[in-house]
Amino acid sequence: MTITPTAAALESTAITVTGGRPLNGRIPVQGSKNIALHLYAAALLADGPVVLASTPDILDTGVCAQILAHTGAHVVVDDGRFSVIPAPAMAVCPIIHPELGRRVRTTVVLAAAVLARTGQVTFPYPGGDAFCPRLIDRHLAAMRAAGAEVIADATGIRAQCGPRGVRAFTADMATPYGPSLGATVTAMLLAARAPGASLITHPSMEPEVTETARFLAECGVEIHFDDHGLHVSGSDHLAGGDFTVVGDRIEAATMIMAAASTGGSIHLDGITACAFPDGLTAALKAAGINLFEDAGGGGVCAQLNGALQGIDAATGPHPALPTDTAPQLAAMLTQARGSSLIAERVYPRRDTHVEGLRAFGADISSTGAVVGLRGPTRLRAATVAAADIRAVTALLIAALAAEGTSTIRGMYHLQRGYGRLIANLATLGADITTTSEAS
């Protein structure tokens, strides 16, 4: 098995940006990272081949491909196509690779798919971005509800069902910060293979959930939402098939904010205006950014309507402002007139980007779950680093708006979420390069 590049190897690559150049032009949007990662897990449930089209060319795709291969699946990743032939249930290795599993956030979701197929699974604690404590208790509660005995120790977790495997269940996805997205998918995958009718109460309605539900429905699972929650009738046979990953709303928002921060405009292919949640559209509009669909050529255009304006915004469950856009929004608002507040209501806090933005000269502070800014600020070049995907991206946006040449470290994290971000920025006119540094 070929292991993907380590964090240490990629962190020796620095991103160099000379800011002050308006970004203008047309670029494609990749397939959604967060949706694709959940579909990779769902593909393990199928009894026939699955082909996922428009998958993002990111490190997490490669890691998930290797995790699936470790379970016995035949996986081919080529030019945006993620092809999977799952192993028969009796041949599935019920172990999530202990090293690879610690590199992605969807480890528990992948484990749920294996548990649904085999009745047992051993897996490490998940990795991914660690901008705050991120509990997996709702995932484990769904496994227990499906009949598994779950035992955790310092090295990882083991879940074991009885001889009949997973059973139909009812599980609640509510948390103090709203419904758990990942745990809702975990519960769906377990229910899809459990004989009988399962009910998932207070489910997340994020696109990651609804797209995974759509995939399962196309594979033959009876699944629907109503006022009581998410109903799933399990099946002992799931057909495979072809499925296309929708455009990445987070990457699209990131590119719009990068262009706006530099006074530019952008045309995005591979996404429609309806893919943007209402909270994101409202925040962009309030800041002075117009979004409209290109009736002639397709895609979405974003243009500034005068100077950027400070706003008050709050993240929240779909269709509110996505939490994964909050750091980038903060970077953009350093260039906005007046004061801004961004309240985090999905996680306890999300402010790992604040220190880095302050290094650029931003007037920014963090108090608990609220980030406050005042602008516009004349940013200056800085040498900075961050250890999660969206924080690194926020620093990159600041560098694009800053005077002088900046150095950003965190390439490993950037490539976990964005396949062609640096190339796309260069296409839009950014002065951006990457350089290997001595370890």
Side-chain angles (χ1 to χ4, degrees):
M1 177 183 297
T2 301
I3 303 298
T4 55
T6 64
L10 280 170
E11 289 296 2
S12 67
T13 300
I15 307 167
T16 302
V17 180
T18 300
R21 301 178 63 169
L23 302 183
N24 294 286
R26 184 172 189 160
I27 56 171
V29 174
Q30 70 182 13
S32 171
K33 164 194 176 286
N34 291 337
I35 291 172
L37 294 185
H38 290 90
L39 292 176
Y40 300 153
L44 281 175
L45 296 183
D47 293 294
V50 172
V51 177
L52 301 173
S54 298
T55 55
D57 183 17
I58 57 176
L59 290 181
D60 280 10
T61 289
V63 171
C64 287
Q66 293 178 76
I67 290 174
L68 266 63
H70 185 259
T71 70
H74 177 72
V75 184
V76 176
V77 181
D78 181 50
D79 194 26
R81 292 171 65 85
F82 191 99
S83 303
V84 184
I85 302 176
M90 296 300 294
V92 173
C93 171
I95 300 171
I96 302 299
H97 192 283
E99 177 187 344
L100 296 171
R102 289 192 293 269
R103 296 192 186 183
V104 291
R105 188 64 205 165
T106 50
T107 300
V108 192
V109 184
L110 291 157
V114 173
L115 178 62
R117 288 295 306 278
T118 69
Q120 60 178 316
V121 67
T122 301
F123 57 100
Y125 292 100
D129 290 342
F131 46 81
C132 74
R134 302 177 70 182
L135 305 180
I136 59 172
D137 58 311
R138 291 295 84 205
H139 295 263
L140 303 185
M143 291 181 177
R144 292 189 177 99
E149 179 185 14
V150 179
I151 301 173
D153 60 26
T155 62
I157 299 169
R158 176 175 173 78
Q160 175 81 49
C161 292
R164 295 186 179 181
V166 292
R167 67 190 182 205
F169 60 92
T170 297
D172 189 359
M173 298 296 105
T175 81
Y177 300 96
S180 171
L181 183 165
T184 302
V185 178
T186 284
M188 268 200 301
L189 301 190
L190 294 168
R193 278 288 184 175
S198 295
L199 173 62
I200 303 167
T201 60
H202 302 107
S204 168
M205 296 297 290
E206 298 286 342
E208 289 76 9
V209 173
T210 56
E211 284 297 288
T212 303
R214 188 165 70 89
F215 169 81
L216 293 174
E218 291 191 10
C219 289
V221 177
E222 293 184 21
I223 186 166
H224 71 276
F225 297 84
D226 64 18
D227 292 342
H228 299 287
L230 174 57
H231 300 260
V232 184
S233 295
S235 174
D236 60 1
H237 180 84
L238 271 67
D242 296 353
F243 193 87
T244 299
V245 180
V246 299
D248 194 320
R249 65 196 187 281
I250 308 301
E251 186 197 36
T254 298
M255 300 307 296
I256 289 169
M257 294 175 191
S261 298
T262 65
S265 62
I266 192 170
H267 187 133
L268 300 169
D269 290 322
I271 198 163
T272 60
C274 64
F276 292 85
D278 294 343
L280 175 59
T281 302
L284 294 174
K285 182 178 180 180
I289 301 171
N290 290 332
L291 291 182
F292 57 93
E293 291 195 352
D294 180 359
V300 174
C301 299
Q303 293 181 343
L304 281 171
N305 180 22
L308 283 168
Q309 303 295 319
I311 62 171
D312 289 354
T315 68
H318 187 79
L321 178 70
T323 179
D324 278 355
T325 64
Q328 304 93 301
L329 180 62
M332 183 188 78
L333 291 173
T334 66
Q335 303 305 295
R337 292 178 177 175
S339 61
S340 297
L341 291 175
I342 305 173
E344 176 57 45
R345 294 179 181 168
V346 175
Y347 296 108
R349 63 188 304 150
R350 188 162 195 167
D351 58 1
T352 52
H353 54 291
V354 169
E355 182 179 353
L357 291 179
R358 195 177 290 128
F360 282 98
D363 184 354
I364 184 170
S365 62
S366 174
T367 305
V370 179
V371 171
L373 303 101
R374 181 171 292 277
T377 305
R378 193 170 180 176
L379 301 181
R380 59 182 181 269
T383 297
V384 292
D388 64 81
I389 296 170
R390 312 306 174 184
V392 174
T393 314
L395 302 185
L396 184 55
I397 291 174
L400 291 164
E403 295 180 353
T405 301
S406 300
T407 299
I408 303 169
R409 296 184 178 90
M411 186 70 168
Y412 171 77
H413 301 284
L414 191 71
Q415 290 192 349
R416 284 189 50 239
Y418 299 92
R420 289 185 48 81
L421 183 64
I422 292 175
N424 283 339
L425 290 171
T427 297
L428 296 174
D431 185 349
I432 184 168
T433 58
T434 57
T435 307
S436 295
E437 300 179 321
S439 301

